[in-house]
Amino acid sequence: MDQQQQKSAAHVSKLFVGSAVDIKDEIEEKFERSFVNLQLQIVGLSDKEMHDILSQIVCKDKQHEEISIGFLYVMLTDPAMAPKTYRDVTLVSRDGMNVIVANLTLLVAEKYNKLTEIARRQLIWVLREFVKHQVLSVENVIWNCLRQAGGGDASHRNLFLIESLLDIFTEFRTWLENNPFLIQSAVYSYVRLIEDHANPALLPLRQKEVKFTISLIRERFHDIIPLGRDFVRLLQNVARIPEFEQLWRDILYNPKSLHPTFNGIWHLLQIRTSRRFLQCRLLPEMERKISFLASSVKFGNQKRYQDWFQDKYFSTPESHSLRSDLIRFIINVIHPTNDMLCSDIIPRWAIIGWLISSCTNPIASANAKLSLFYDWLFFDPSKDNIMNIEPGILVMYHSIRNHPFVSSTLLDFLCRITKHFYVKHEDRIRMGVFNSLKLILEKQVIPNIQPLFESSKLDRELRNLIRENFKEFLSPSNTQAPSYPSVHSILVHTVKKEIDHRTLQNENVDHQGTGLSPSHNSGTVLSFIDEGNKTALIPTDQEIESVFSDETAKNFGKIYKIDENTDDDDDLPLSKVRLKEKPKVELAEAIAESFESFVSRRNSFTWEAFLNDFRTLPASAFEEFQLNYVITNTILILRETLPQHNLFSESKTEEKLLAKSISYPLYGLFRFLYENDEKSKKPFQTLLSMLCQSLPEIGYLLLYFMKVYCKLQTRKNAQQSYQFKTTIYRQICDAVDEKVGNCLVRDLDLLEKESTTIYLWLLPDIYREFKSIATNNTDLLRITLRCVDAKNVRDIIYSVAQGKLTIFKEDGLIDCIRESLEFETYEQFCLWQIVQAHDVPLKSIQDLLPELEPGSHPEALSHFLLWLKNEEPTNEIIRLILSRETKSRGDPFVTSALRY
């Protein structure tokens, strides 16, 4: 060990909790070493000497990182020195503090539990400063801190973090609202945490949480909609709180009051929640432990790991609520490969069975069962993953022999939740459960469902209940195979029989296990989503829990194959079975042949031929289920035929590549709209509306199509100029009932994230064709500035100089500049160069001069000063300069301008 390492080893850490015998890992060593090295560099130096020597040292990447981490160490461990250190680091840092943010993110994600009490409090101080000064990527640190704010934990340490983050979000609300993903994560997390804060001692905190989440949900509901069905599940658990009760009333009865495009509760229930939100409700350490259990522990050896997990995370009364979080994570995030399915690793269903059966809290137990079957209720084989429904059937199937009470409880739950989760849409819920069971049998997740549904170990009344709910999967005799009815016959002719509700008895399979809310007087089972009472109900505290042994049967049936190519951020559907065995539906003669041709051939020609027939048909030509059949299969095919990668042409000039890039069926729709201007009939408008809702990329793909199509047509006929038909884009906007400006910003934001190159290629056309909307549009400007580099700025300036691009106009420019003052430094420097390229007169923005502050707006002041150097002084300019508020040490901007 060299001398420097010895000093580091001898140094007692002020950042991490640990004893002298603890072995420091790489992260801890890195922070301690950086702090020691920083002290060696600056000891005994004045501030000026320190800045001078550090400015020279940080020119080297490695030393820049080490010095930055050293400063971060000081800020986290020395409250008295933290403000001065923050000023020092802003002077020395040459990357906008990217290194500090990256290492702080790593520290929070990996070492938060080992931070000292002082370091955890200073972490909040640092975050507050970063947010106040809008340091780039600070939202990554905040998101990781949000993950450390664990559910099911009412300890002082956890409550401090929860309340501190809440204070930051409240104080810097404007900053938060510029981060849609952070808005979604914060709302999802705090709605979940509110459930744990029912203790009267936590009432002040709970009220703050409720006020924050309700205001954010109501004011930013368009950002909340993507949270989807699991957000609804969380809302059910807080529905008795008055503010959330009112929110439920609006969701159920007045959805348009929340957002013009929101169509009600089913709108949310159809959206699968991203796995990132499910992940954010598990502590990083907990996620690592449960992932290890599901990937490395052999079946039969899991008991000691489960005992450790139980003692670590389930030791307090409020920790029961964690079980639902874990089950949703295991089902939606942990998807084992085929090799793992064939191995002796503990399967997911066994872990979930343990989580449910070891729960002693009746409400938490019912919620855990709902978490297990939640995906069944809305399952669509065309877009959902079979791995999300596999654990539910397996835990019942493998328990029926040795632990029939487990299977009985879950089967009873499934029967009752199918009918009573949302009575208004019982047919849709039933369809989801039917789709789940059908695909389970088709893929042979289990070889046969009769041993479960017709087991002699189930009591007679439960078997009757199963027969009433799932008769399609039961044979009249034990030898006859189950027959599957048409999907649409289920939709149209849903069996609506009343269930004979049994009286709750101690020896019966528990009814509260259904997760529903029985009346104490009549035994009537109420809905989770009860529109009669205008609220969402949660279960009462009646539950009989069963025992689930760790030594479950090891021979768990036939292994089935799944498509392992699931590298999407969420889940990829099993595309190979999407239209397999589609039900035969009779269609009108006018479209039957062309639609069948499109379904079988799946190309643009057959698609456009079908559209030509379909467009003129009135609503009277269809039954509702026929129209649904056409639209569902159409969306399926259009989605499947789009390329997964390389959506756009690699060349912007080669005709063959450009033509190929718009040859897919979806572009056939655009071509059809381009060539047919007459007004469409209602069924076609319905198709267009559903397409827009199901394919979020449709907007920017249309913009790309119009660019390429016009380019190709102009080359074919050089004497005729082809222009964008913005009326088509307006049709798309009308289909989703949104303003063109909002759609344009949203679509271009998605396009830039998909391909910056194509976004910049389209930019001149966007500003030309949507001139009134795009010019001086701050939102569109921000999208552009966040993605450009020096070459892109150069090309934009060239286009402006040549008259091909006009981003700004004199009228209203001052408001655009005023809003841009909150942009990042680099973005503002690019902005001012583009403004200058437009040759706008100074008088159009000179009224901004008195508003600019030296500490907050250095970029704008710098460019104003350079601009003023080329202007002749006028009385108005002098008046505005002298109107600036003077600080105690004077205003260098005024002095510089007047001296020049």
Side-chain angles (χ1 to χ4, degrees):
M1 184 183 290
D2 59 30
Q3 184 178 3
Q4 186 169 311
Q5 288 175 317
Q6 289 174 357
K7 289 181 179 178
S8 179
H11 166 70
V12 177
S13 176
K14 295 189 289 183
L15 183 60
F16 301 107
V17 175
S19 64
V21 297
D22 286 340
I23 299 176
K24 295 178 182 177
D25 65 13
E26 183 179 348
I27 297 175
E28 295 176 43
E29 284 285 1
K30 182 180 181 180
F31 272 80
E32 302 293 348
R33 183 175 61 249
S34 298
F35 171 69
V36 170
N37 288 343
L38 175 64
Q39 297 306 307
L40 292 175
Q41 297 286 355
I42 66 175
V43 63
L45 299 181
S46 66
D47 286 352
K48 185 178 185 308
E49 291 171 333
M50 179 187 71
H51 292 154
D52 291 342
I53 191 170
L54 291 182
S55 296
Q56 297 175 9
I57 292 174
V58 297
C59 291
K60 298 179 181 178
D61 288 340
K62 184 175 181 181
Q63 290 179 307
H64 174 255
E65 181 180 16
E66 200 165 65
I67 294 299
S68 298
I69 295 174
F71 275 129
L72 176 59
Y73 189 104
V74 175
M75 287 190 288
L76 291 175
T77 57
D78 193 337
M81 287 294 294
K84 178 182 179 302
T85 304
Y86 185 81
R87 290 194 297 272
D88 291 339
V89 79
T90 56
L91 293 173
V92 172
S93 176
R94 59 185 181 86
D95 65 348
M97 293 200 275
N98 280 345
V99 168
I100 288 182
V101 171
N103 281 278
L104 186 57
T105 303
L106 178 68
L107 186 71
V108 171
E110 301 291 335
K111 292 293 171 185
Y112 181 81
N113 286 334
K114 288 200 70 175
L115 294 180
T116 64
E117 182 72 22
I118 290 176
R120 289 197 302 274
R121 293 185 176 276
Q122 281 304 107
L123 170 64
I124 300 300
W125 181 88
V126 171
L127 289 178
R128 192 180 297 274
E129 293 299 307
F130 281 1
V131 174
K132 184 192 302 182
H133 297 98
Q134 304 217 358
V135 174
L136 195 63
S137 300
V138 65
E139 60 271 15
N140 294 335
V141 189
I142 297 261
W143 188 79
N144 278 280
C145 285
L146 205 53
R147 286 201 65 191
Q148 298 290 355
D153 181 1
S155 66
H156 173 74
R157 173 176 172 173
N158 194 52
L159 294 176
F160 167 76
L161 178 60
I162 291 171
E163 188 163 15
S164 298
L165 290 175
L166 184 61
D167 290 340
I168 291 176
F169 291 143
T170 304
E171 181 179 354
F172 301 102
R173 177 68 172 264
T174 303
W175 168 84
L176 174 63
E177 291 184 355
N178 289 325
N179 293 275
F181 177 72
L182 199 54
I183 288 176
Q184 295 163 347
S185 300
V187 168
Y188 190 88
S189 296
Y190 276 98
V191 171
R192 165 64 185 88
L193 293 169
I194 288 169
E195 177 189 350
D196 297 330
H197 300 160
N199 190 316
L202 302 178
L203 185 60
L205 171 60
R206 182 168 179 168
Q207 284 302 111
K208 284 174 65 176
E209 293 170 328
V210 170
K211 182 180 178 181
F212 167 74
T213 51
I214 286 292
S215 67
L216 208 52
I217 290 170
R218 289 190 174 277
E219 294 172 23
R220 306 284 298 190
F221 199 77
H222 62 285
D223 290 324
I224 302 304
I225 291 174
L227 289 176
R229 63 181 64 135
D230 273 279
F231 182 61
V232 175
R233 182 177 58 83
L234 297 184
L235 285 177
Q236 291 171 209
N237 298 333
V238 295
R240 297 303 190 192
I241 298 173
E243 293 87 345
F244 282 103
E245 189 172 356
Q246 181 58 50
L247 177 65
W248 266 106
R249 290 194 182 100
D250 290 340
I251 290 174
L252 293 171
Y253 289 96
N254 193 16
K256 297 295 182 185
S257 67
L258 297 170
H259 195 265
T261 64
F262 181 52
N263 299 320
I265 188 70
W266 195 256
H267 189 164
L268 289 172
L269 292 173
Q270 284 181 301
I271 300 172
R272 177 169 43 82
T273 301
S274 168
R275 59 174 59 181
R276 292 202 71 186
F277 300 121
L278 300 174
Q279 179 191 32
C280 81
R281 285 300 79 228
L282 292 193
L283 298 172
E285 181 190 34
M286 187 186 298
E287 179 188 348
R288 288 192 288 270
K289 296 294 190 297
I290 203 70
S291 298
F292 172 81
L293 184 61
S295 63
S296 303
V297 177
K298 290 187 177 182
F299 198 20
N301 297 338
Q302 71 269 21
K303 189 176 187 310
R304 64 191 183 99
Y305 297 98
Q306 291 174 346
D307 289 345
W308 179 92
F309 202 95
Q310 178 88 21
D311 293 340
K312 176 76 173 177
Y313 297 114
F314 297 145
S315 57
T316 60
E318 60 272 6
S319 63
H320 286 297
S321 62
L322 265 176
R323 296 173 191 271
S324 293
D325 298 334
L326 281 162
I327 291 171
R328 296 302 296 153
F329 177 82
I330 293 169
I331 288 174
N332 286 272
V333 181
I334 299 180
H335 286 182
T337 63
N338 283 326
D339 288 340
M340 291 178 65
L341 289 172
C342 297
S343 71
D344 56 356
I345 299 298
I346 181 174
R348 296 185 303 161
W349 63 264
I351 301 174
I352 291 171
W354 158 66
L355 288 171
I356 291 176
S357 62
S358 61
C359 181
T360 57
N361 180 287
I363 294 177
S365 179
N367 287 338
K369 293 170 188 174
L370 177 63
S371 297
L372 175 62
F373 289 115
Y374 202 53
D375 296 293
W376 290 51
L377 308 182
F378 323 102
F379 190 76
D380 180 353
S382 67
K383 61 183 179 182
D384 291 326
N385 197 318
I386 192 173
M387 298 302 286
N388 295 346
I389 57 174
E390 174 237 47
I393 193 67
L394 289 182
V395 73
M396 293 188 294
Y397 186 80
H398 294 301
S399 302
I400 192 65
R401 175 178 295 179
N402 297 323
H403 309 284
F405 204 54
V406 172
S407 301
S408 298
T409 303
L410 294 176
L411 280 170
D412 187 89
F413 179 94
L414 184 59
C415 290
R416 297 183 182 280
I417 207 72
T418 299
K419 185 174 180 63
H420 299 288
F421 180 81
Y422 191 9
V423 174
K424 182 179 178 180
H425 288 296
E426 181 192 344
D427 57 338
R428 295 185 179 183
I429 299 293
R430 193 172 294 281
M431 190 73 245
V433 176
F434 174 86
N435 286 335
S436 302
L437 290 169
K438 186 171 184 291
L439 190 63
I440 282 168
L441 294 175
E442 286 178 352
K443 294 296 168 185
Q444 291 195 309
V445 178
I446 57 175
N448 193 340
I449 207 165
Q450 271 69 40
L452 176 62
F453 277 6
E454 299 182 1
S455 173
S456 59
K457 297 186 178 182
L458 304 179
D459 68 71
R460 180 178 55 81
E461 294 182 39
L462 178 56
R463 287 204 302 274
N464 290 338
L465 190 61
I466 293 170
R467 184 169 293 279
E468 288 180 6
N469 282 273
F470 306 122
K471 66 177 182 179
E472 301 87 3
F473 299 94
L474 298 175
S475 56
S477 65
N478 291 334
T479 59
Q480 188 174 343
S483 59
Y484 301 133
S486 162
V487 172
H488 290 283
S489 69
I490 295 295
L491 277 173
V492 178
H493 306 290
T494 303
V495 178
K496 298 191 175 194
K497 293 185 177 179
E498 292 297 324
I499 296 178
D500 179 21
H501 301 299
R502 294 167 288 170
T503 305
L504 284 174
Q505 296 177 355
N506 291 337
E507 66 272 14
N508 271 354
V509 177
D510 91 79
H511 287 197
Q512 182 57 36
T514 64
L516 308 174
S517 186
S519 163
H520 295 288
N521 297 325
S522 63
T524 303
V525 181
L526 302 177
S527 312
F528 258 106
I529 300 174
D530 186 348
E531 298 200 6
N533 290 334
K534 302 185 181 181
T535 186
L537 302 180
I538 57 176
T540 59
D541 52 357
Q542 296 182 15
E543 175 92 20
I544 304 172
E545 283 301 325
S546 57
V547 178
F548 188 95
S549 170
D550 292 303
E551 298 299 328
T552 322
K554 295 185 180 180
N555 298 319
F556 48 95
K558 183 175 181 179
I559 297 297
Y560 55 97
K561 294 292 182 181
I562 59 170
D563 186 357
E564 289 188 37
N565 185 25
T566 54
D567 53 359
D568 186 278
D569 181 54
D570 287 320
D571 292 335
L572 280 179
L574 295 173
S575 59
K576 293 183 180 179
V577 298
R578 279 177 164 180
L579 285 176
K580 186 178 180 181
E581 296 184 15
K582 55 185 181 296
K584 188 69 175 177
V585 175
E586 295 294 332
L587 299 176
E589 288 185 13
I591 64 167
E593 185 177 347
S594 59
F595 183 69
E596 187 63 35
S597 178
F598 167 56
V599 169
S600 59
R601 297 184 185 179
R602 302 188 180 196
N603 58 40
S604 289
F605 303 108
T606 56
W607 169 229
E608 290 179 56
F610 163 70
L611 288 174
N612 200 45
D613 295 338
F614 181 72
R615 180 168 189 145
T616 57
L617 287 181
S620 58
F622 294 95
E623 295 288 344
E624 183 180 355
F625 75 93
Q626 291 175 320
L627 184 59
N628 287 340
Y629 172 76
V630 170
I631 291 175
T632 301
N633 287 318
T634 297
I635 292 172
L636 228 60
I637 296 171
L638 293 183
R639 167 64 74 188
E640 283 187 349
T641 51
L642 272 179
Q644 296 296 323
H645 307 286
N646 302 324
L647 272 172
F648 308 108
S649 170
E650 296 178 0
S651 170
K652 303 186 189 74
T653 56
E654 191 174 335
E655 287 190 25
K656 287 185 178 179
L657 291 177
L658 286 171
K660 182 181 178 182
S661 71
I662 60 169
S663 64
Y664 304 103
L666 180 61
Y667 294 106
L669 170 66
F670 304 152
R671 189 179 297 104
F672 182 83
L673 292 173
Y674 227 86
E675 297 168 357
N676 294 270
D677 291 331
E678 67 272 13
K679 186 173 178 60
S680 308
K681 299 290 185 180
K682 187 175 180 180
F684 187 88
Q685 294 173 346
T686 304
L687 170 64
L688 196 59
S689 177
M690 293 298 293
L691 276 173
C692 294
Q693 292 178 29
S694 303
L695 302 172
E697 63 269 53
I698 195 171
Y700 69 74
L701 291 180
L702 172 58
L703 295 173
Y704 172 74
F705 168 81
M706 289 196 287
K707 170 81 171 181
V708 175
Y709 183 78
C710 291
K711 193 178 186 73
L712 293 175
Q713 292 300 317
T714 303
R715 286 187 182 181
K716 287 181 182 178
N717 188 357
Q719 313 203 344
Q720 183 176 351
S721 177
Y722 288 84
Q723 298 295 325
F724 276 39
K725 283 193 176 181
T726 56
T727 53
I728 301 176
Y729 187 78
R730 293 177 190 278
Q731 275 187 265
I732 299 294
C733 300
D734 292 340
V736 292
D737 196 21
E738 282 194 36
K739 293 181 179 179
V740 176
N742 295 340
C743 287
L744 192 64
V745 170
R746 182 199 62 213
D747 291 336
L748 291 174
D749 183 40
L750 292 171
L751 173 60
E752 188 279 316
K753 291 173 181 176
E754 179 69 31
S755 173
T756 299
T757 304
I758 298 298
Y759 170 79
L760 294 172
W761 187 49
L762 288 179
L763 208 58
D765 302 275
I766 299 300
Y767 276 95
R768 182 184 67 249
E769 302 297 339
F770 299 92
K771 185 176 180 180
S772 61
I773 296 171
T775 307
N776 288 352
N777 188 310
T778 313
D779 293 327
L780 185 53
L781 185 64
R782 186 69 185 269
I783 297 170
T784 303
L785 294 176
R786 81 183 181 203
C787 70
V788 294
D789 57 20
K791 291 180 180 178
N792 300 141
V793 175
R794 176 203 65 191
D795 293 339
I796 289 174
I797 292 174
Y798 286 170
S799 297
V800 172
Q802 295 169 24
K804 297 178 180 179
L805 175 61
T806 302
I807 296 178
F808 302 111
K809 62 180 179 181
E810 184 177 339
D811 185 26
L813 176 59
I814 189 170
D815 295 324
C816 183
I817 298 295
R818 185 178 285 114
E819 291 181 43
S820 74
L821 296 176
E822 302 298 322
F823 290 5
E824 300 294 336
T825 295
Y826 176 75
E827 293 173 353
Q828 290 195 55
F829 273 105
C830 295
L831 166 70
W832 283 103
Q833 292 185 59
I834 298 172
V835 169
Q836 287 180 299
H838 281 74
D839 292 327
V840 293
L842 177 63
K843 67 179 181 180
S844 64
I845 59 172
Q846 65 186 18
D847 289 344
L848 202 59
L849 277 169
E851 302 176 24
L852 302 177
E853 299 180 5
S856 303
H857 310 125
E859 304 88 353
L861 285 171
S862 300
H863 283 85
F864 258 114
L865 184 59
L866 294 175
W867 204 334
L868 287 171
K869 288 178 68 176
N870 298 318
E871 295 284 329
E872 291 187 7
T874 64
N875 290 337
E876 181 63 14
I877 291 178
I878 297 299
R879 184 188 69 79
L880 290 168
I881 290 176
L882 295 178
S883 298
R884 291 175 50 76
E885 184 180 349
T886 305
K887 304 295 182 182
S888 58
R889 300 178 64 179
D891 189 344
F893 174 81
V894 175
T895 307
S896 302
L898 294 179
R899 288 192 65 177
Y900 182 80

